[in-house]
Amino acid sequence: MLEQPFPASMLKEDGPGPAELEAWKEVKAVYAKLGILVYADESVCDYQDVPKLLPFVHGINIKLEKAGGIRGALRTVHAGTECGLKIWFGQMVSSALNAANAAHLLPLATYAGDLDGALLMTDTSQRFAGGFEWTRSGSQVGLVQLGGAPGIGVSRKPTPRMSRDIADITDIVPLQQLNGVPIAELERRARPLRRAPAGDWQYDPEEIARTPDEDEYVEVLRGVRSIVGWLAAEERLKDVLLRDWAAVGQLGLTHLELAAHLRKLVLLCADRAAYGVQYDAGSLPDSRLVGFGPQTVDIRRLVTRGFQHSLFSNLDQGEEDAWCDEYAVRHRDLELEVRLAGNPEHGIIPLIERYGFYEGGGLQNDLRVDPHVVVAVLTGRWNEPARRREVDHVGARLAALRGQQANHDASLVRHRDAVASLTKQLQDLSTSQVRSSPETKHAAYLAGEVDDPTEILRAELEQEEGELLFAKSSLKETAGEIRTLESRLDALRSLTL
């Protein structure tokens, strides 16, 4: 057989003209003499196309995706049979469920079909199993053996568990507690800390009311709190969980898999930094992120001075889950970074693994782990949510730098004016000293009655000149950072995904 030798636009208004159509009729006749049958594939969608293709083909390739499912495929079969055409069944790259549908129509085919679309997908991306099996009988291979289960014989695969402590997204709304800590208490702990007018951090009554013999409890409880906050001031914990669970579900992944990738990555950083690390997400057992190849990443580890305690620590049970480190994983080509509070055993990686919690707080929280950004770093491919978050992040950084630039400009003007004023004062003082009696001034200075005004002014001038140089340097550095970020923003906005 010869499949689709002519343009896919055969039946369209902008397709071949009358002369070319006549030539394709002759092609059919020539191949028929050679014992080769011509089949239409891309040119046939549903039953209405069949009669129009009759002059050019001996048979048609019917695909359920184009024909309109089983009912549409049956109508196309009947149309082809009425026209005396031979029937072949094909399949787009799709699931085992779709292949099983097509397999049950094979008895209607003149010969057979090519139902290999499901073989081009990874097993982990298939949601259904069964329907039919590929078998062989003696020298005959590629035989299709239908299953004996009801309907088309398929069954839904067990849904992979999303996280260790929460099985499914439907379990989130009814949640009353996590790790024995009430949701309301977790949200209280997760709020950003506030500063009192005097500049001290303000704590909640529960933290203040603890008696002196519970100082350790208070210390740990305050260690849970964060200046930026685990959640933004108005965010709800369940809303944050639902948002990230939905995102990971749409990506076809699980929190367990993402946590496993992140843990494997940070374990590659044995010291403070590991540059040029090659990481292939497909190397993880049962990974769904396959076919992207090794990605080059730089990994840095920062050790902090104090300990951060987990938001989910159950303090009433004496549980302490704390860390004093942080990792940054940066994709070299994308220039995209994921910051991870904690280490492989404590911190955000176990929280992703247990609860599917990536932190909230939006752009104000640099330690929020966006699942889409993680996937972009693991695959080396931008996705729209990751691009949009990076655009917002760079935009916020640009706004902050432009504010700094304005401050540096004001500082530059202030110190420049101060240098000019002090220089003039020194010149005026030098002129007045020439007119006064050197002996009288020197005697008063030695007696400690007056300071040498010239030395004082020179010291002040030297300090202001140093401040002026620093302001110029800061302004130049900030301007360079702004140009870099502006270029980055332009590149991000022009990305074709």
Side-chain angles (χ1 to χ4, degrees), residues 173-235:
V173 173
L175 279 175
Q176 298 298 316
Q177 55 81 28
L178 282 169
N179 196 36
V181 184
I183 297 296
E185 164 64 10
L186 290 172
E187 290 183 340
R188 185 187 68 77
R189 296 178 183 180
R191 300 294 175 219
L193 281 173
R194 303 183 303 276
R195 279 190 184 274
D200 297 328
W201 295 113
Q202 288 185 323
Y203 293 96
D204 293 329
E206 180 183 345
E207 293 155 276
I208 298 170
R210 293 284 169 174
T211 56
D213 60 343
E214 294 173 304
D215 284 346
E216 184 176 350
Y217 184 103
V218 173
E219 181 181 351
V220 173
L221 187 57
R222 291 184 176 181
V224 171
R225 305 297 298 279
S226 165
I227 295 174
V228 176
W230 300 82
L231 302 174
E234 302 302 324
E235 277 184 320

Short mmCIF file of all heavy atoms in Angstrom, two decimals, residues 173-235:
data_model
loop_
_atom_site.label_atom_id
_atom_site.label_comp_id
_atom_site.label_asym_id
_atom_site.label_seq_id
_atom_site.Cartn_x
_atom_site.Cartn_y
_atom_site.Cartn_z
N VAL A 173 -9.80 20.25 51.43
CA VAL A 173 -10.86 21.11 51.96
C VAL A 173 -11.34 20.66 53.33
O VAL A 173 -11.53 21.48 54.24
CB VAL A 173 -12.03 21.19 50.96
CG1 VAL A 173 -13.21 21.94 51.57
CG2 VAL A 173 -11.59 21.89 49.67
N PRO A 174 -11.54 19.34 53.59
CA PRO A 174 -12.02 18.93 54.92
C PRO A 174 -10.95 18.97 56.01
O PRO A 174 -11.26 18.71 57.17
CB PRO A 174 -12.49 17.48 54.70
CG PRO A 174 -12.46 17.23 53.25
CD PRO A 174 -11.51 18.20 52.67
N LEU A 175 -9.70 19.29 55.67
CA LEU A 175 -8.63 19.25 56.66
C LEU A 175 -8.93 20.13 57.88
O LEU A 175 -9.35 21.28 57.73
CB LEU A 175 -7.31 19.71 56.04
CG LEU A 175 -6.51 18.70 55.21
CD1 LEU A 175 -5.30 19.39 54.58
CD2 LEU A 175 -6.07 17.52 56.04
N GLN A 176 -8.71 19.58 59.05
CA GLN A 176 -8.82 20.35 60.29
C GLN A 176 -7.47 20.59 60.92
O GLN A 176 -7.27 21.54 61.67
CB GLN A 176 -9.73 19.61 61.29
CG GLN A 176 -11.15 19.40 60.81
CD GLN A 176 -11.87 20.73 60.56
OE1 GLN A 176 -11.77 21.66 61.38
NE2 GLN A 176 -12.56 20.84 59.44
N GLN A 177 -6.50 19.72 60.62
CA GLN A 177 -5.15 19.84 61.19
C GLN A 177 -4.15 19.14 60.29
O GLN A 177 -4.52 18.33 59.44
CB GLN A 177 -5.12 19.25 62.60
CG GLN A 177 -5.59 17.81 62.72
CD GLN A 177 -4.56 16.76 62.34
OE1 GLN A 177 -3.36 17.00 62.46
NE2 GLN A 177 -5.02 15.59 61.89
N LEU A 178 -2.89 19.46 60.47
CA LEU A 178 -1.79 18.78 59.81
C LEU A 178 -0.71 18.52 60.85
O LEU A 178 -0.33 19.45 61.59
CB LEU A 178 -1.23 19.61 58.65
CG LEU A 178 -2.04 19.59 57.35
CD1 LEU A 178 -1.52 20.64 56.38
CD2 LEU A 178 -2.00 18.20 56.71
N ASN A 179 -0.26 17.29 60.93
CA ASN A 179 0.73 16.89 61.92
C ASN A 179 0.27 17.18 63.35
O ASN A 179 1.06 17.51 64.23
CB ASN A 179 2.08 17.58 61.65
CG ASN A 179 3.23 16.92 62.38
OD1 ASN A 179 3.26 15.70 62.54
ND2 ASN A 179 4.17 17.73 62.84
N GLY A 180 -1.04 17.13 63.55
CA GLY A 180 -1.59 17.37 64.88
C GLY A 180 -1.72 18.82 65.26
O GLY A 180 -2.11 19.15 66.38
N VAL A 181 -1.42 19.74 64.34
CA VAL A 181 -1.51 21.18 64.59
C VAL A 181 -2.73 21.72 63.86
O VAL A 181 -2.85 21.55 62.64
CB VAL A 181 -0.25 21.92 64.12
CG1 VAL A 181 -0.33 23.41 64.49
CG2 VAL A 181 1.01 21.29 64.71
N PRO A 182 -3.66 22.37 64.54
CA PRO A 182 -4.86 22.91 63.88
C PRO A 182 -4.51 23.88 62.75
O PRO A 182 -3.52 24.61 62.83
CB PRO A 182 -5.61 23.62 65.02
CG PRO A 182 -5.11 22.97 66.27
CD PRO A 182 -3.68 22.60 66.01
N ILE A 183 -5.35 23.89 61.72
CA ILE A 183 -5.11 24.77 60.57
C ILE A 183 -5.06 26.23 61.01
O ILE A 183 -4.22 27.01 60.54
CB ILE A 183 -6.22 24.58 59.51
CG1 ILE A 183 -6.19 23.14 58.96
CG2 ILE A 183 -6.07 25.59 58.38
CD1 ILE A 183 -4.93 22.78 58.20
N ALA A 184 -5.95 26.63 61.93
CA ALA A 184 -5.95 28.02 62.39
C ALA A 184 -4.63 28.38 63.06
O ALA A 184 -4.11 29.50 62.88
CB ALA A 184 -7.11 28.24 63.37
N GLU A 185 -4.06 27.44 63.83
CA GLU A 185 -2.78 27.70 64.48
C GLU A 185 -1.65 27.79 63.46
O GLU A 185 -0.77 28.64 63.56
CB GLU A 185 -2.49 26.58 65.49
CG GLU A 185 -1.04 26.49 65.98
CD GLU A 185 -0.60 27.72 66.75
OE1 GLU A 185 -1.44 28.57 67.10
OE2 GLU A 185 0.61 27.84 67.01
N LEU A 186 -1.69 26.94 62.44
CA LEU A 186 -0.68 27.00 61.38
C LEU A 186 -0.73 28.34 60.66
O LEU A 186 0.31 28.93 60.35
CB LEU A 186 -0.89 25.85 60.39
CG LEU A 186 -0.59 24.43 60.91
CD1 LEU A 186 -1.04 23.40 59.89
CD2 LEU A 186 0.88 24.27 61.23
N GLU A 187 -1.94 28.83 60.38
CA GLU A 187 -2.06 30.12 59.69
C GLU A 187 -1.57 31.25 60.56
O GLU A 187 -0.98 32.22 60.07
CB GLU A 187 -3.52 30.33 59.26
CG GLU A 187 -3.95 29.40 58.14
CD GLU A 187 -5.36 29.65 57.67
OE1 GLU A 187 -6.13 30.27 58.44
OE2 GLU A 187 -5.71 29.23 56.55
N ARG A 188 -1.81 31.17 61.89
CA ARG A 188 -1.32 32.21 62.80
C ARG A 188 0.21 32.26 62.78
O ARG A 188 0.82 33.32 62.71
CB ARG A 188 -1.80 31.94 64.23
CG ARG A 188 -1.45 33.04 65.23
CD ARG A 188 -1.80 32.63 66.64
NE ARG A 188 -0.95 31.55 67.11
CZ ARG A 188 0.31 31.71 67.52
NH1 ARG A 188 0.84 32.91 67.50
NH2 ARG A 188 1.01 30.68 67.94
N ARG A 189 0.81 31.09 62.83
CA ARG A 189 2.28 31.02 62.79
C ARG A 189 2.85 31.51 61.46
O ARG A 189 3.96 32.03 61.41
CB ARG A 189 2.75 29.57 62.97
CG ARG A 189 2.43 28.91 64.30
CD ARG A 189 2.95 27.49 64.23
NE ARG A 189 2.66 26.70 65.42
CZ ARG A 189 3.03 25.44 65.56
NH1 ARG A 189 3.69 24.83 64.59
NH2 ARG A 189 2.75 24.78 66.67
N ALA A 190 2.09 31.28 60.39
CA ALA A 190 2.61 31.52 59.04
C ALA A 190 2.61 32.98 58.63
O ALA A 190 3.24 33.35 57.64
CB ALA A 190 1.80 30.71 58.03
N ARG A 191 1.91 33.85 59.40
CA ARG A 191 1.81 35.26 59.01
C ARG A 191 3.16 35.97 59.14
O ARG A 191 3.96 35.66 60.04
CB ARG A 191 0.79 35.98 59.88
CG ARG A 191 -0.61 35.41 59.79
CD ARG A 191 -1.21 35.59 58.43
NE ARG A 191 -2.50 34.94 58.32
CZ ARG A 191 -2.92 34.30 57.25
NH1 ARG A 191 -2.15 34.24 56.18
NH2 ARG A 191 -4.11 33.74 57.22
N PRO A 192 3.42 36.96 58.28
CA PRO A 192 4.66 37.74 58.42
C PRO A 192 4.70 38.45 59.77
O PRO A 192 3.67 38.90 60.29
CB PRO A 192 4.58 38.74 57.27
CG PRO A 192 3.59 38.16 56.31
CD PRO A 192 2.62 37.38 57.13
N LEU A 193 5.88 38.55 60.36
CA LEU A 193 6.04 39.29 61.61
C LEU A 193 5.85 40.78 61.39
O LEU A 193 6.15 41.30 60.32
CB LEU A 193 7.43 39.03 62.20
CG LEU A 193 7.63 37.71 62.94
CD1 LEU A 193 9.09 37.53 63.30
CD2 LEU A 193 6.77 37.66 64.20
N ARG A 194 5.35 41.46 62.41
CA ARG A 194 5.15 42.91 62.33
C ARG A 194 6.12 43.61 63.27
O ARG A 194 6.49 43.06 64.32
CB ARG A 194 3.71 43.28 62.71
CG ARG A 194 2.66 42.60 61.88
CD ARG A 194 1.27 43.07 62.28
NE ARG A 194 1.00 42.85 63.69
CZ ARG A 194 0.57 41.70 64.19
NH1 ARG A 194 0.39 40.65 63.40
NH2 ARG A 194 0.33 41.56 65.49
N ARG A 195 6.49 44.82 62.94
CA ARG A 195 7.36 45.62 63.79
C ARG A 195 6.54 46.61 64.61
O ARG A 195 5.61 47.23 64.10
CB ARG A 195 8.40 46.40 62.97
CG ARG A 195 9.61 45.58 62.55
CD ARG A 195 10.67 46.49 61.97
NE ARG A 195 11.82 45.79 61.47
CZ ARG A 195 12.86 45.42 62.21
NH1 ARG A 195 12.87 45.70 63.51
NH2 ARG A 195 13.89 44.79 61.67
N ALA A 196 6.90 46.73 65.88
CA ALA A 196 6.28 47.74 66.73
C ALA A 196 6.88 49.10 66.40
O ALA A 196 7.93 49.18 65.75
CB ALA A 196 6.53 47.39 68.20
N PRO A 197 6.24 50.20 66.81
CA PRO A 197 6.80 51.54 66.54
C PRO A 197 8.24 51.69 67.03
O PRO A 197 9.03 52.41 66.43
CB PRO A 197 5.84 52.48 67.29
CG PRO A 197 4.54 51.73 67.32
CD PRO A 197 4.91 50.28 67.45
N ALA A 198 8.57 50.98 68.11
CA ALA A 198 9.93 51.09 68.65
C ALA A 198 10.93 50.28 67.84
O ALA A 198 12.14 50.38 68.07
CB ALA A 198 9.95 50.61 70.10
N GLY A 199 10.43 49.48 66.89
CA GLY A 199 11.34 48.71 66.05
C GLY A 199 11.45 47.25 66.45
O GLY A 199 12.06 46.46 65.73
N ASP A 200 10.87 46.86 67.60
CA ASP A 200 10.92 45.46 68.03
C ASP A 200 9.88 44.64 67.27
O ASP A 200 8.85 45.16 66.84
CB ASP A 200 10.65 45.35 69.53
CG ASP A 200 11.71 46.07 70.35
OD1 ASP A 200 12.87 46.10 69.88
OD2 ASP A 200 11.38 46.59 71.43
N TRP A 201 10.17 43.32 67.15
CA TRP A 201 9.21 42.44 66.50
C TRP A 201 8.03 42.19 67.43
O TRP A 201 8.22 41.99 68.63
CB TRP A 201 9.87 41.12 66.12
CG TRP A 201 10.94 41.26 65.08
CD1 TRP A 201 12.28 41.04 65.24
CD2 TRP A 201 10.77 41.70 63.73
NE1 TRP A 201 12.95 41.31 64.08
CE2 TRP A 201 12.05 41.71 63.12
CE3 TRP A 201 9.66 42.07 62.97
CZ2 TRP A 201 12.25 42.08 61.81
CZ3 TRP A 201 9.87 42.44 61.65
CH2 TRP A 201 11.14 42.45 61.07
N GLN A 202 6.85 42.20 66.87
CA GLN A 202 5.64 41.97 67.65
C GLN A 202 5.24 40.50 67.58
O GLN A 202 5.16 39.93 66.49
CB GLN A 202 4.49 42.84 67.12
CG GLN A 202 4.64 44.31 67.45
CD GLN A 202 3.41 45.10 67.02
OE1 GLN A 202 2.82 44.83 65.99
NE2 GLN A 202 3.04 46.09 67.81
N TYR A 203 5.00 39.90 68.74
CA TYR A 203 4.57 38.51 68.80
C TYR A 203 3.13 38.43 69.28
O TYR A 203 2.60 39.36 69.88
CB TYR A 203 5.51 37.70 69.70
CG TYR A 203 6.89 37.57 69.14
CD1 TYR A 203 7.92 38.44 69.53
CD2 TYR A 203 7.18 36.61 68.19
CE1 TYR A 203 9.19 38.34 69.00
CE2 TYR A 203 8.45 36.49 67.64
CZ TYR A 203 9.46 37.36 68.05
OH TYR A 203 10.71 37.25 67.52
N ASP A 204 2.52 37.29 69.04
CA ASP A 204 1.14 37.10 69.42
C ASP A 204 1.02 36.81 70.92
O ASP A 204 1.99 36.40 71.56
CB ASP A 204 0.53 35.94 68.63
CG ASP A 204 0.41 36.29 67.14
OD1 ASP A 204 0.23 37.49 66.85
OD2 ASP A 204 0.50 35.39 66.31
N PRO A 205 -0.17 37.01 71.49
CA PRO A 205 -0.36 36.81 72.93
C PRO A 205 0.09 35.44 73.42
O PRO A 205 0.63 35.31 74.50
CB PRO A 205 -1.86 37.01 73.12
CG PRO A 205 -2.26 37.92 72.01
CD PRO A 205 -1.39 37.55 70.85
N GLU A 206 -0.13 34.40 72.60
CA GLU A 206 0.26 33.05 73.04
C GLU A 206 1.76 32.98 73.31
O GLU A 206 2.20 32.34 74.25
CB GLU A 206 -0.13 32.01 72.00
CG GLU A 206 0.25 30.59 72.41
CD GLU A 206 -0.08 29.56 71.35
OE1 GLU A 206 -0.84 29.88 70.43
OE2 GLU A 206 0.44 28.43 71.45
N GLU A 207 2.54 33.64 72.47
CA GLU A 207 3.99 33.60 72.64
C GLU A 207 4.42 34.46 73.84
O GLU A 207 5.43 34.17 74.48
CB GLU A 207 4.67 34.08 71.35
CG GLU A 207 4.45 33.12 70.20
CD GLU A 207 4.57 33.80 68.86
OE1 GLU A 207 3.56 34.39 68.40
OE2 GLU A 207 5.64 33.74 68.26
N ILE A 208 3.68 35.51 74.12
CA ILE A 208 4.04 36.40 75.22
C ILE A 208 3.59 35.81 76.56
O ILE A 208 4.25 35.99 77.59
CB ILE A 208 3.38 37.79 75.01
CG1 ILE A 208 3.93 38.41 73.71
CG2 ILE A 208 3.62 38.70 76.19
CD1 ILE A 208 3.20 39.64 73.27
N ALA A 209 2.46 35.07 76.57
CA ALA A 209 1.85 34.61 77.81
C ALA A 209 2.56 33.40 78.42
O ALA A 209 2.25 33.01 79.55
CB ALA A 209 0.38 34.26 77.57
N ARG A 210 3.47 32.77 77.71
CA ARG A 210 4.16 31.61 78.25
C ARG A 210 4.96 31.98 79.51
O ARG A 210 5.58 33.05 79.56
CB ARG A 210 5.11 31.02 77.21
CG ARG A 210 4.38 30.43 76.01
CD ARG A 210 3.76 29.08 76.37
NE ARG A 210 2.85 28.63 75.30
CZ ARG A 210 2.27 27.46 75.29
NH1 ARG A 210 2.45 26.62 76.29
NH2 ARG A 210 1.48 27.12 74.30
N THR A 211 4.92 31.11 80.49
CA THR A 211 5.61 31.39 81.76
C THR A 211 7.10 31.20 81.60
O THR A 211 7.56 30.54 80.66
CB THR A 211 5.09 30.45 82.86
OG1 THR A 211 5.26 29.11 82.41
CG2 THR A 211 3.62 30.70 83.13
N PRO A 212 7.91 31.76 82.50
CA PRO A 212 9.38 31.69 82.37
C PRO A 212 9.91 30.26 82.26
O PRO A 212 10.93 30.04 81.62
CB PRO A 212 9.87 32.37 83.64
CG PRO A 212 8.77 33.30 84.01
CD PRO A 212 7.51 32.61 83.63
N ASP A 213 9.24 29.29 82.91
CA ASP A 213 9.77 27.92 82.85
C ASP A 213 9.48 27.27 81.50
O ASP A 213 9.82 26.11 81.29
CB ASP A 213 9.19 27.07 83.97
CG ASP A 213 7.67 26.97 83.90
OD1 ASP A 213 7.07 27.80 83.20
OD2 ASP A 213 7.12 26.06 84.54
N GLU A 214 8.85 28.01 80.61
CA GLU A 214 8.60 27.49 79.27
C GLU A 214 9.36 28.30 78.23
O GLU A 214 8.93 28.45 77.09
CB GLU A 214 7.10 27.52 78.96
CG GLU A 214 6.28 26.57 79.84
CD GLU A 214 4.80 26.76 79.62
OE1 GLU A 214 4.33 27.89 79.78
OE2 GLU A 214 4.13 25.78 79.29
N ASP A 215 10.51 28.83 78.63
CA ASP A 215 11.29 29.66 77.72
C ASP A 215 11.69 28.91 76.46
O ASP A 215 11.73 29.47 75.37
CB ASP A 215 12.55 30.17 78.43
CG ASP A 215 12.23 31.30 79.40
OD1 ASP A 215 11.11 31.82 79.31
OD2 ASP A 215 13.09 31.62 80.24
N GLU A 216 12.01 27.62 76.62
CA GLU A 216 12.44 26.83 75.47
C GLU A 216 11.31 26.72 74.46
O GLU A 216 11.52 26.82 73.24
CB GLU A 216 12.88 25.44 75.92
CG GLU A 216 13.45 24.60 74.77
CD GLU A 216 13.97 23.26 75.25
OE1 GLU A 216 14.07 23.05 76.48
OE2 GLU A 216 14.25 22.41 74.38
N TYR A 217 10.08 26.52 74.97
CA TYR A 217 8.92 26.44 74.08
C TYR A 217 8.77 27.75 73.31
O TYR A 217 8.56 27.77 72.11
CB TYR A 217 7.66 26.16 74.91
CG TYR A 217 6.41 25.95 74.10
CD1 TYR A 217 5.90 24.68 73.89
CD2 TYR A 217 5.71 27.02 73.54
CE1 TYR A 217 4.74 24.48 73.16
CE2 TYR A 217 4.57 26.83 72.79
CZ TYR A 217 4.08 25.55 72.61
OH TYR A 217 2.95 25.36 71.88
N VAL A 218 8.87 28.85 74.02
CA VAL A 218 8.72 30.17 73.39
C VAL A 218 9.80 30.39 72.34
O VAL A 218 9.54 30.90 71.25
CB VAL A 218 8.76 31.28 74.46
CG1 VAL A 218 8.78 32.66 73.78
CG2 VAL A 218 7.58 31.17 75.39
N GLU A 219 11.02 29.96 72.66
CA GLU A 219 12.13 30.13 71.72
C GLU A 219 11.87 29.36 70.42
O GLU A 219 12.08 29.89 69.32
CB GLU A 219 13.42 29.64 72.35
CG GLU A 219 14.63 29.81 71.44
CD GLU A 219 15.91 29.30 72.08
OE1 GLU A 219 15.90 28.97 73.27
OE2 GLU A 219 16.91 29.23 71.36
N VAL A 220 11.39 28.12 70.55
CA VAL A 220 11.10 27.31 69.37
C VAL A 220 9.92 27.91 68.60
O VAL A 220 9.94 28.01 67.37
CB VAL A 220 10.82 25.85 69.75
CG1 VAL A 220 10.36 25.05 68.53
CG2 VAL A 220 12.06 25.22 70.36
N LEU A 221 8.87 28.31 69.33
CA LEU A 221 7.70 28.88 68.69
C LEU A 221 8.07 30.13 67.90
O LEU A 221 7.61 30.33 66.78
CB LEU A 221 6.63 29.20 69.73
CG LEU A 221 5.27 29.65 69.21
CD1 LEU A 221 4.68 28.60 68.27
CD2 LEU A 221 4.32 29.92 70.36
N ARG A 222 8.91 30.97 68.49
CA ARG A 222 9.34 32.17 67.77
C ARG A 222 10.27 31.82 66.62
O ARG A 222 10.35 32.54 65.62
CB ARG A 222 10.01 33.14 68.74
CG ARG A 222 9.01 33.75 69.73
CD ARG A 222 9.62 34.78 70.64
NE ARG A 222 8.60 35.40 71.48
CZ ARG A 222 8.84 36.35 72.36
NH1 ARG A 222 10.08 36.79 72.54
NH2 ARG A 222 7.86 36.86 73.09
N GLY A 223 10.97 30.68 66.74
CA GLY A 223 11.83 30.23 65.64
C GLY A 223 11.04 29.78 64.43
O GLY A 223 11.57 29.70 63.33
N VAL A 224 9.75 29.45 64.64
CA VAL A 224 8.88 29.07 63.53
C VAL A 224 8.51 30.29 62.70
O VAL A 224 8.35 30.20 61.48
CB VAL A 224 7.60 28.38 64.06
CG1 VAL A 224 6.58 28.18 62.95
CG2 VAL A 224 7.95 27.05 64.71
N ARG A 225 8.38 31.43 63.38
CA ARG A 225 7.92 32.65 62.71
C ARG A 225 8.95 33.13 61.70
O ARG A 225 10.14 32.85 61.79
CB ARG A 225 7.65 33.75 63.74
CG ARG A 225 6.68 33.36 64.83
CD ARG A 225 5.29 33.06 64.30
NE ARG A 225 4.67 34.19 63.66
CZ ARG A 225 4.07 35.18 64.32
NH1 ARG A 225 3.98 35.16 65.64
NH2 ARG A 225 3.53 36.19 63.67
N SER A 226 8.48 33.88 60.71
CA SER A 226 9.34 34.38 59.64
C SER A 226 9.02 35.84 59.38
O SER A 226 7.86 36.25 59.45
CB SER A 226 9.11 33.55 58.36
OG SER A 226 9.64 34.19 57.23
N ILE A 227 10.04 36.63 59.11
CA ILE A 227 9.83 38.05 58.82
C ILE A 227 8.96 38.21 57.57
O ILE A 227 8.01 38.99 57.55
CB ILE A 227 11.18 38.76 58.64
CG1 ILE A 227 11.97 38.73 59.95
CG2 ILE A 227 10.97 40.20 58.17
CD1 ILE A 227 13.38 39.28 59.82
N VAL A 228 9.28 37.46 56.51
CA VAL A 228 8.49 37.53 55.27
C VAL A 228 7.19 36.76 55.43
O VAL A 228 6.15 37.15 54.89
CB VAL A 228 9.32 36.97 54.09
CG1 VAL A 228 8.48 36.93 52.82
CG2 VAL A 228 10.56 37.80 53.88
N GLY A 229 7.24 35.66 56.19
CA GLY A 229 6.05 34.84 56.39
C GLY A 229 6.01 33.64 55.47
O GLY A 229 6.48 33.69 54.32
N TRP A 230 5.47 32.54 55.98
CA TRP A 230 5.24 31.36 55.14
C TRP A 230 4.06 31.61 54.20
O TRP A 230 3.98 31.02 53.12
CB TRP A 230 4.91 30.16 56.02
CG TRP A 230 5.97 29.76 57.00
CD1 TRP A 230 6.20 30.31 58.23
CD2 TRP A 230 6.94 28.71 56.85
NE1 TRP A 230 7.25 29.67 58.86
CE2 TRP A 230 7.71 28.68 58.04
CE3 TRP A 230 7.21 27.79 55.85
CZ2 TRP A 230 8.73 27.77 58.24
CZ3 TRP A 230 8.22 26.88 56.05
CH2 TRP A 230 8.98 26.87 57.23
N LEU A 231 3.15 32.45 54.63
CA LEU A 231 2.00 32.88 53.83
C LEU A 231 1.96 34.39 53.84
O LEU A 231 2.47 35.03 54.76
CB LEU A 231 0.69 32.34 54.42
CG LEU A 231 0.51 30.83 54.59
CD1 LEU A 231 -0.79 30.55 55.32
CD2 LEU A 231 0.53 30.12 53.25
N ALA A 232 1.34 34.97 52.82
CA ALA A 232 1.11 36.42 52.83
C ALA A 232 0.06 36.75 53.89
O ALA A 232 -0.63 35.87 54.41
CB ALA A 232 0.66 36.89 51.46
N ALA A 233 -0.07 38.02 54.21
CA ALA A 233 -0.93 38.45 55.31
C ALA A 233 -2.37 37.98 55.16
O ALA A 233 -3.03 37.65 56.14
CB ALA A 233 -0.88 39.97 55.44
N GLU A 234 -2.88 37.91 53.92
CA GLU A 234 -4.27 37.56 53.71
C GLU A 234 -4.46 36.16 53.12
O GLU A 234 -5.59 35.76 52.84
CB GLU A 234 -4.93 38.59 52.78
CG GLU A 234 -4.86 40.03 53.28
CD GLU A 234 -5.51 40.19 54.64
OE1 GLU A 234 -6.54 39.52 54.89
OE2 GLU A 234 -5.01 40.99 55.46
N GLU A 235 -3.39 35.42 52.93
CA GLU A 235 -3.51 34.10 52.32
C GLU A 235 -4.05 33.07 53.30
O GLU A 235 -3.79 33.16 54.51
CB GLU A 235 -2.15 33.62 51.79
CG GLU A 235 -1.79 34.13 50.42
CD GLU A 235 -0.49 33.56 49.90
OE1 GLU A 235 0.46 33.42 50.70
OE2 GLU A 235 -0.41 33.28 48.70
#
